[in-house]
Amino acid sequence: MRNRILAVAAVAAAIAVPAVAAQAQTVGIVRGGPAVAVEDDGAIAVEQRPAFREYIVRERVPNYTVPDRVVVGTVLPDAGVTYYDVPQRFGATPYRYTVVNGETVLVEPRSRRIVQVVE
């Protein structure tokens, strides 16, 4: 009985530790898929970024050139740039993505403001 209680306590601790370590993240369930981590602000989670960049390369998303620096807060032109939905496997996000000056960025669709440069 004592061993069973210790085993249950160990499993509960193992479940709780990652949740505490990932306070800046929310775990969501993608219908028909595994749980994915998304930053609280809707950005691509750190552990998802390498796979997301590989996806962008594989999809051959066109690169748009703008004269401004690509930083968070930059507003992209209203014409000439195409924005794409982020696939559900990278988490539910209200943002769209595109590639500008060789950088993959998440953009708030209405304002066209860059909210994340995916590094």
Side-chain angles (χ1 to χ4, degrees):
M1 179 72 171
R2 188 175 200 196
N3 287 341
R4 183 176 278 171
I5 292 171
L6 288 174
V8 170
V11 169
I15 292 171
V17 170
V20 171
Q23 287 178 357
Q25 298 177 347
T26 309
V27 175
I29 303 297
V30 176
R31 182 177 288 169
V36 295
V38 179
E39 300 291 326
D40 283 340
D41 61 359
I44 302 294
V46 173
E47 59 274 356
Q48 291 283 346
R49 291 175 191 169
F52 185 63
R53 282 191 305 273
E54 288 176 19
Y55 168 81
I56 302 300
V57 169
R58 200 171 45 248
E59 291 297 308
R60 296 186 178 156
V61 175
N63 179 47
Y64 298 96
T65 303
V66 296
D68 300 327
R69 287 187 36 204
V70 178
V71 295
V72 171
T74 299
V75 176
L76 297 176
D78 58 349
V81 179
T82 302
Y83 304 99
Y84 305 92
D85 291 333
V86 175
Q88 284 291 315
R89 69 176 175 253
F90 299 111
T93 179
Y95 305 123
R96 305 293 179 263
Y97 76 89
T98 193
V99 179
V100 179
N101 295 353
E103 302 279 349
T104 300
V105 295
L106 287 186
V107 178
E108 198 286 315
R110 288 188 179 179
S111 67
R112 300 175 324 277
R113 184 178 60 85
I114 295 174
V115 295
Q116 181 186 22
V117 178
V118 183
E119 299 181 31

